Amino acid sequence: MPLKQKVSTSKDIEVADVDRALKYINTKWDDLLRFFPEDRDTLIGLPYPYIIPSTENDSGFAFEEMYYWDSYFTAQGLIKSGRTELAEGMLDDLIYLADRFGSVPNGNRYYLTGRSQPPFLTSYILDIYQIKKDNKWLKKVSEVAKDEYEKVWTNESHPNWRNVFHGLSRYYDINVIDQLAEAESGWDMTTRFNDECLSYIPIDLNCLLYKYEMDFAKIAELLGDETEAEVWKMRAKNRAAKVTYYLWDAEKGFFFDYNYQKDELSDVWSLASYYALWSGLASDEQADRLVDNLDKFMQRGGLSATSEEFGSLHDNYQWAYPNGWAPLHWIVVNGLDRYGHKVMAKNIAKKWLTTNINYFNKYEIFRESYNVVEPMDQPKEGLYPPQEGFGWTNAVFLYFAKKYL
């Protein structure tokens, strides 16, 4: 539906600009759509069509595979735009991969099966359940998620040796290489882990696993099993207590990644901390402290992935200041909204929308990430050439536009 009035932000967003951007995104879904039901060389065939992150550009680099955590954020936009069948099919693809390989791999390439990505399976399942309202389906797919939780994310032995410290988990890779574990984190590459990702208990991962536990409790309640629900709630409570004990800095009022090998907190301020809001792990007092510290990340064009002093060491460190990312904005905004900071959530969403719109007006594309310090400049590049027309950026823009404009 076209917007009927100008939306007030730090710089007003014109209705026509929003409508043009949404038209671009809705057309772009078809460009990003792929369907390969059979294996093809290194590409793993999937039973349903899916959205890739971006199409080939001048660099010659192209994706033909779907990615685990990308798919969850992409689905948020697909659902908002009424493409629920496609969003459901992509979830079925992830379930298929989990059944076939024993985990949801980084992406549907054989060379990506040695690691996973940040786990969003239960969140995705519950989003689709709100559409399907099918308890038989819910029971079936939740069993796949439980297998993933137990055999991948809370496993204590190789090749899934992630549960390493008092029931808290790390990112991992079958090759036991720090850089590949960092790739599993989705933050490839970042200043968060000091190139020693295997040594860190990450705040975002353990918030995700807390949410799994609370989601399993909710699913048990939906299926009428209150006893199982209480078991999962207790697991979540125990995890939250350990996360607070080891990863919370009470003096700074912030969650940090924890180096369990050196028994010390990282000093890197990153937006990963705000998974504690989105997941509901944070206490009300912790939430207030986290909100107070948001100014460390607030830039002209949105939120930087890390604070300035922990910015990009070189071009490969794209998940750091000065870059801002759509999924991190989605996590922060929805986390703020969950704890009642609705005005701040809306303002950050509009700031991000403005950055996307202004860049689109000038260059006619949506980017994988943005330089939020100088929004019209190029972001710091990563390990692969810069991408455009990007799936999760399109999706989060659409989600915020529908929710806040």
Side-chain angles (χ1 to χ4, degrees):
M1 292 288 291
L3 300 172
K4 299 300 183 184
Q5 59 185 3
K6 183 182 289 186
V7 180
S8 177
T9 64
S10 55
K11 181 179 180 181
D12 286 338
I13 301 175
E14 296 290 343
V15 176
D17 291 339
V18 177
D19 287 343
R20 194 166 67 90
L22 292 175
K23 182 178 180 181
Y24 164 86
I25 290 170
N26 283 316
T27 300
K28 195 67 178 175
W29 292 136
D30 293 330
D31 292 337
L32 298 173
L33 188 65
R34 297 291 185 273
F35 182 42
F36 298 105
E38 304 292 337
D39 290 1
R40 180 182 299 180
D41 297 323
T42 64
L43 189 68
I44 299 166
L46 296 174
Y48 297 96
Y50 58 87
I51 296 293
I52 60 172
S54 64
T55 55
E56 185 174 359
N57 58 28
D58 293 340
S59 71
F61 183 88
F63 296 104
E64 290 297 325
E65 63 277 357
M66 69 181 287
Y67 288 83
Y68 184 177
W69 78 319
D70 292 60
S71 297
Y72 174 70
F73 294 104
T74 299
Q76 304 307 308
L78 293 173
I79 292 169
K80 283 286 187 182
S81 60
R83 300 191 180 212
T84 56
E85 184 176 350
L86 179 54
E88 183 180 341
M90 289 172 63
L91 173 59
D92 287 337
D93 286 334
L94 297 180
I95 297 292
Y96 167 82
L97 288 168
D99 279 337
R100 181 172 172 182
F101 295 99
S103 69
V104 183
N106 183 267
N108 61 311
R109 291 279 186 184
Y110 279 104
Y111 55 77
L112 296 177
T113 57
R115 61 180 180 268
S116 188
Q117 272 193 327
F120 281 88
L121 198 56
T122 60
S123 298
Y124 203 160
I125 286 169
L126 285 172
D127 285 347
I128 297 301
Y129 176 77
Q130 292 303 312
I131 300 167
K132 292 176 69 73
K133 299 292 186 182
D134 183 339
N135 281 16
K136 184 178 180 180
W137 171 87
L138 180 62
K139 180 176 177 59
K140 179 181 177 181
V141 295
S142 66
E143 291 301 320
V144 177
K146 286 177 185 176
D147 280 345
E148 183 206 26
Y149 170 86
E150 293 170 359
K151 296 177 181 178
V152 179
W153 295 106
T154 59
N155 200 308
E156 298 179 1
S157 61
H158 190 69
N160 291 303
W161 188 17
R162 292 173 176 83
N163 181 357
V164 292
F165 186 78
H166 298 295
L168 299 178
S169 295
R170 65 178 175 182
Y171 290 114
Y172 194 62
D173 177 87
I174 193 172
N175 301 287
V176 200
I177 296 173
D178 283 300
Q179 287 82 0
L180 297 180
E182 191 167 319
E184 179 171 90
S185 79
W187 292 54
D188 48 343
M189 308 304 282
T190 181
T191 54
R192 279 177 62 189
F193 304 121
N194 195 31
D195 295 328
E196 298 177 344
C197 186
L198 291 168
S199 298
Y200 280 90
I201 304 298
I203 179 58
D204 49 355
L205 174 58
N206 285 280
C207 287
L208 284 164
L209 295 179
Y210 169 87
K211 189 168 188 301
Y212 264 54
E213 290 152 356
M214 292 302 294
D215 286 348
F216 287 139
K218 181 176 182 179
I219 290 167
E221 289 174 345
L222 289 168
L223 298 176
D225 193 334
E226 294 294 337
T227 301
E228 182 183 343
E230 289 305 314
V231 171
W232 284 111
K233 287 177 184 178
M234 185 57 65
R235 288 190 186 182
K237 183 178 180 180
N238 289 340
R239 183 179 299 274
K242 292 174 182 177
V243 167
T244 292
Y245 185 81
Y246 290 106
L247 279 69
W248 175 252
D249 188 317
E251 182 177 345
K252 294 179 180 178
F254 207 71
F255 287 104
F256 293 92
D257 301 313
Y258 174 73
N259 189 320
Y260 78 97
Q261 300 281 13
K262 297 178 181 178
D263 187 26
E264 63 183 25
L265 284 174
S266 167
D267 59 356
V268 177
W269 295 75
S270 84
L271 288 182
S273 185
Y274 292 89
Y275 275 74
L277 297 186
W278 172 77
S279 65
L281 179 143
S283 67
D284 289 340
E285 180 182 357
Q286 288 170 336
D288 289 341
R289 300 290 301 282
L290 288 168
V291 171
D292 290 341
N293 278 312
L294 255 181
D295 61 351
K296 290 180 170 56
F297 307 94
M298 199 76 71
Q299 311 297 335
R300 186 153 60 97
L303 302 171
S304 57
T306 67
S307 60
E308 182 175 3
E309 62 268 38
F310 301 106
S312 183
L313 300 175
H314 51 73
D315 283 347
N316 283 350
Y317 286 75
Q318 61 179 341
W319 286 84
Y321 175 97
N323 288 359
W325 292 79
L328 297 182
H329 280 76
W330 191 92
I331 290 290
V332 172
V333 166
N334 282 288
L336 291 169
D337 191 71
R338 177 173 189 153
Y339 281 81
H341 299 276
K342 296 184 181 299
V343 173
M344 181 177 287
K346 186 175 184 178
N347 288 341
I348 291 172
K350 287 186 174 181
K351 185 187 286 271
W352 181 250
L353 286 167
T354 300
T355 293
N356 285 210
I357 279 287
N358 290 343
Y359 201 94
F360 179 74
N361 284 344
K362 184 173 182 178
Y363 297 107
E364 299 289 326
I365 61 170
F366 281 78
R367 294 198 64 98
E368 179 182 12
S369 62
Y370 293 86
N371 182 333
V372 292
V373 178
E374 297 294 341
M376 289 299 103
D377 289 353
Q378 300 296 306
K380 285 284 185 179
E381 292 186 13
L383 297 172
Y384 48 83
Q387 301 299 298
E388 57 193 49
F390 211 78
W392 65 17
T393 307
N394 301 346
V396 171
F397 179 91
L398 196 155
Y399 181 96
F400 283 166
K402 296 278 188 180
K403 183 172 182 178
Y404 290 111
L405 300 186

